[in-house]
Amino acid sequence: MLVTYTLFALVFGVGAVAYPGFASGQVLLNLLVDNAFLVVLAVGLTFVILTGGIDLSVGSVVALSTMVTATGLRAGWPVPVVVAAVLAIGSVLGLLMGLVIHHFDIQPFIVTLAGMFLARGLCFVISVESIPIKDPAFRAVATATLDLGGLNITYGVLVALLTAAVAAYVLHLTRFGRTVYAVGGSEASARLMGLSAGRVKVGVYVISGFCSALGGLLLSVYMLSGYSLHAVGMELDAIAAVVIGGTVLTGGAGYLAGSLAGVLVLGVIQTLISFQGTLSSWWTKIVIGLLLLAFVVVQRVLPGARRAPDAVTPAGRSAIAAR
Amino acid sequence: MKSRLWWPLLALGALLALNLVLAPAFFALRFQDGHLYGSLVDVLNNGAPTLLVALGMTLVIATRGVDLSVGAVAAIAGAVACTHLAGSADPGGAGTAVTAIALALGLCLVLGLWNGFLVAALGIQPIIATLVLMTAGRGLAMLLTEGQIVTVDNSAYRAVGAGHLVLPVSILISGAAVAAIALLTRRTALGLLIESVGVNPEASRLAGVRSRRIIWTCYVFAALCAGVAGLMISSNVSAADANNAGLWIEMDAILAVVIGGTSLAGGRYSLAGTVLGALIIQTLTTTIHTVGVAPEVTLVLKAIVVICVCLAQAPKARALLRRLAPARAETTKAATP
């Protein structure tokens, strides 16, 4: 996690030296403004990954949420009803996936892959067209900015930071959070200790579903439209952010603040590339890929110096749990 | 083995039966100008790239891994071949097509070596190791094509994905690949070694199996399969689209493998199951088109079928079914003391 923040500072420093105007507070805040939804997604995914699971459905659930928001508002539903409906849909989808994963012992990878197809498919069923959001109340929230002494942020940033704060509290200071780590360390041991491993396993998917729906709401505020092709591939951005933030995919080790840092690193790279101007946007993908590589190699090599490398046992948890 | 193939077979049978009822023309085969036409041929033809990718994926999954980068590799293969064709002095010649294909597959070999290096030599989790190439790969393909859709006009190259030799060439290629892999893994000890590595790489290594080399080979093989699939896709439309070629194909391939009864936990795999799985996915898509359901519903139906087949294969779901059917429960009780 420290490495991630150092990296963030480093990349931001490079930008500050190279481009005039880069090192302004607004650029820094815009990282949050432009990535508020990704922060929320990464928060939910951190829970899932900490238990050793994975949720591939987050991007599609985001898209579904924007669709439901847009169609709901177009149909004249009041804003609170729409918000409640979207959050409920996300949570229920997460609950269903969690129940299937836990009770039928099917790999999370496959179940959430099916969830991803389902959510994306439902988007197409609702509409293949992009639906603009015209609701005045919604637009007012979207365009409103909070003035922080000359610097502006949107309400989305507040929501994202609040989510991260609540999640950090739940993860690091409650019984539920400790059980998440225990299940990620060793599910069998957690169960033998009498922890409610099953409830926690289902719970993290509900959290992830809820966060995806919330992220979808933030995205619909940001984009002011619902579109079935919103957030394609965003699950990978979110996974990359969590991994860059230092959470290991086998579960059991990582911090929520790390995921936040991961999102910021992804964001600052994007900003850097757009400041550069001559670099094409596909460089973003290549740089993120290289960064991901650097991080997993570092994660791999650091504990490797302390213990014999068990290179051929990818599932070996102990080697990485040391951090 | 038989019981594992039973559910996918049943699913495929059910799909075909559905077609028989809803659109009998589905089974019509025509022979025209020395080519075979019909919906069944279309299923095989359109499913060929997925099948190829799924074959490579089966072996990777058998080693307890997964390869997310295959879609990106497919895009890169198409991009390399098409940019070489478009930039060469003789864009229409058969020789250029051969060089282009060789170049593309050579690069895929390198990409496979790279994935294998990360997984087998550095010991990075397969899902993350291949995620690197999945993210960066499409960017690479975009870089190669400079963000454009590169179109080519080369009859020899076009033959790979759209040619006919009684059957479409793509069917013949994927069929040959299935046969070659089946022979290689089931007539030699290779299949057994792959399974042993999947069950426990460390124990296999101690028992004298070159675990790392086998894992490495599987990733190289998967990348090559993906490369051929990418060539098929781009040759079929005579263009390389770095953004959309092979998009989601890794998901389809993983689904095909899992529907076919191979466990993602590694150690056991079924090539026949993968072939069945790929056929189910493609038949489902084609059925939806023939029956006239809106194409938007495809994904929803796909998700439902996947969940049903996975549930049908899960031991716990079967136990639940047995409890719900008392007559069968008694026979099980009698069988297991």
Side-chain angles (χ1 to χ4, degrees):
Chain A
M1 189 174 70
L2 265 179
V3 183
T4 318
Y5 277 106
T6 319
L7 179 84
F8 172 68
L10 210 70
V11 179
F12 198 82
V14 168
V17 172
Y19 308 105
F22 192 90
S24 76
Q26 192 57 50
V27 170
L28 196 62
L29 286 178
N30 276 350
L31 289 181
L32 284 173
V33 172
D34 295 334
N35 292 296
F37 47 91
L38 196 57
V39 168
V40 178
L41 282 193
V43 163
L45 209 54
T46 308
F47 279 84
V48 174
I49 292 181
L50 277 175
T51 64
I54 191 115
D55 189 349
L56 296 176
S57 72
V58 290
S60 322
V61 175
V62 165
L64 182 61
S65 306
T66 66
M67 287 303 278
V68 174
T69 312
T71 39
L73 288 175
R74 196 175 56 177
W77 298 0
V79 174
V81 175
V82 170
V83 170
V86 166
L87 293 179
I89 291 174
S91 311
V92 168
L93 262 176
L95 177 70
L96 288 178
M97 290 191 292
L99 287 175
V100 171
I101 290 166
H102 177 62
H103 286 289
F104 294 107
D105 258 345
I106 305 179
Q107 281 106 343
F109 194 89
I110 284 300
V111 176
T112 55
L113 191 61
M116 166 177 158
F117 282 150
L118 188 71
R120 190 69 74 183
L122 287 175
C123 288
F124 289 129
V125 172
I126 293 176
S127 168
V128 285
E129 308 276 311
S130 171
I131 304 170
I133 295 175
K134 291 181 181 137
D135 185 89
F138 217 75
R139 291 192 89 99
V141 175
T143 46
T145 49
L146 292 166
D147 196 3
L148 300 176
L151 305 171
N152 298 316
I153 56 168
T154 55
Y155 283 102
V157 175
L158 284 188
V159 174
L161 291 179
L162 192 68
T163 315
V166 171
Y169 170 77
V170 170
L171 192 58
H172 300 306
L173 294 170
T174 64
R175 188 187 169 83
F176 181 87
R178 280 196 298 278
T179 316
V180 167
Y181 280 99
V183 169
S186 162
E187 197 187 329
S189 306
R191 200 170 288 141
L192 289 175
M193 281 167 69
L195 297 172
S196 47
R199 271 213 340 245
V200 165
K201 253 175 86 189
V202 177
V204 292
Y205 289 96
V206 177
I207 292 177
S208 173
F210 176 86
C211 284
S212 310
L214 188 60
L217 277 173
L218 292 183
L219 189 69
S220 30
V221 169
Y222 185 76
M223 299 273 202
L224 280 176
S225 70
Y227 187 32
S228 43
L229 290 178
H230 270 330
V232 165
M234 196 178 276
E235 54 280 338
L236 297 171
D237 285 346
I239 294 174
V242 174
V243 170
I244 290 176
T247 302
V248 285
L249 267 187
T250 38
Y255 297 97
L256 211 113
S259 302
L260 187 63
V263 175
L264 288 178
V265 167
L266 292 188
V268 79
I269 290 171
Q270 248 148 23
T271 314
L272 206 58
I273 285 173
S274 65
F275 259 76
Q276 163 68 23
T278 56
L279 281 178
S280 328
S281 65
W282 54 77
W283 274 103
T284 323
K285 289 183 172 184
I286 298 182
V287 173
I288 291 175
L290 289 177
L291 206 65
L292 201 58
L293 174 74
F295 264 79
V296 288
V297 170
V298 166
Q299 282 189 357
R300 182 64 224 170
V301 170
L302 282 185
R306 265 177 268 136
R307 49 168 64 234
D310 53 345
V312 285
T313 53
R317 283 179 182 168
S318 50
I320 340 179
R323 248 160 312 111
Chain B
M1 190 59 151
K2 265 182 191 154
S3 69
R4 273 196 296 158
L5 285 184
W6 171 241
W7 285 104
L9 259 177
L10 198 71
L12 186 61
L15 268 177
L16 291 177
L18 188 75
N19 272 303
L20 194 62
V21 178
L22 293 174
F26 190 84
F27 291 93
L29 288 175
R30 279 182 300 120
F31 202 75
Q32 194 179 324
D33 307 333
H35 303 331
L36 205 56
Y37 291 99
S39 287
L40 288 177
V41 179
D42 286 346
V43 167
L44 290 172
N45 192 11
N46 297 334
T50 316
L51 176 56
L52 262 178
V53 173
L55 277 179
M57 190 72 82
T58 310
L59 296 190
V60 168
I61 288 180
T63 66
R64 208 193 267 177
V66 71
D67 189 347
L68 293 181
S69 70
V70 284
V73 171
I76 292 176
V80 169
C82 287
T83 41
H84 177 75
L85 279 174
S88 75
D90 176 23
T96 329
V98 172
T99 339
I101 291 170
L103 258 178
L105 292 185
L107 186 59
C108 291
L109 189 82
V110 174
L111 294 176
L113 283 170
W114 165 255
N115 276 337
F117 170 74
L118 291 184
V119 175
L122 292 187
I124 296 168
Q125 275 175 302
I127 182 172
I128 282 295
T130 54
L131 183 64
V132 171
L133 191 53
M134 183 186 190
T135 347
R138 249 171 228 287
L140 260 170
M142 291 291 273
L143 205 62
L144 283 167
T145 60
E146 289 168 345
Q148 309 289 319
I149 295 180
V150 180
T151 51
V152 293
D153 184 17
N154 184 315
S155 52
Y157 184 63
R158 190 161 166 72
V160 177
H164 268 78
L165 209 79
V166 181
L167 284 171
V169 172
S170 52
I171 298 185
L172 300 178
I173 294 178
S174 58
V178 172
I181 296 161
L183 279 177
L184 204 63
T185 56
R186 291 309 186 197
R187 292 292 162 212
T188 70
L190 185 63
L192 185 70
L193 296 181
I194 289 175
E195 290 189 334
S196 85
V197 169
V199 172
N200 189 335
E202 195 54 26
S204 313
R205 193 182 64 78
L206 293 173
V209 179
R210 293 198 163 112
S211 295
R212 289 186 191 192
R213 194 174 294 180
I214 285 181
I215 293 177
W216 208 323
T217 315
C218 286
Y219 281 92
V220 171
F221 177 71
L224 278 179
C225 283
V228 177
L231 289 177
M232 263 182 206
I233 294 168
S234 86
S235 123
N236 194 18
V237 292
S238 285
D241 182 352
N243 255 336
N244 297 313
L247 198 63
W248 306 125
I249 204 171
E250 56 276 341
M251 302 304 172
D252 271 349
I254 294 170
L255 282 183
V257 175
V258 173
I259 288 178
T262 298
S263 153
L264 274 180
R268 291 181 84 189
Y269 71 96
S270 159
L271 289 174
T274 297
V275 175
L276 274 178
L279 286 182
I280 289 176
I281 291 179
Q282 194 57 48
T283 314
L284 185 67
T285 316
T286 313
T287 306
I288 291 168
H289 291 312
T290 21
V291 172
V293 179
E296 295 90 59
V297 190
T298 316
L299 271 176
V300 176
L301 284 178
K302 215 183 218 174
I304 293 171
V305 169
V306 169
I307 281 293
C308 288
V309 175
C310 283
L311 281 178
Q313 285 174 349
K316 281 195 175 172
R318 287 199 208 163
L320 193 74
L321 271 180
R322 253 181 248 130
R323 268 210 303 277
L324 292 176
R328 280 179 67 193
E330 272 161 37
T331 51
T332 345
K333 254 181 221 158
T336 51

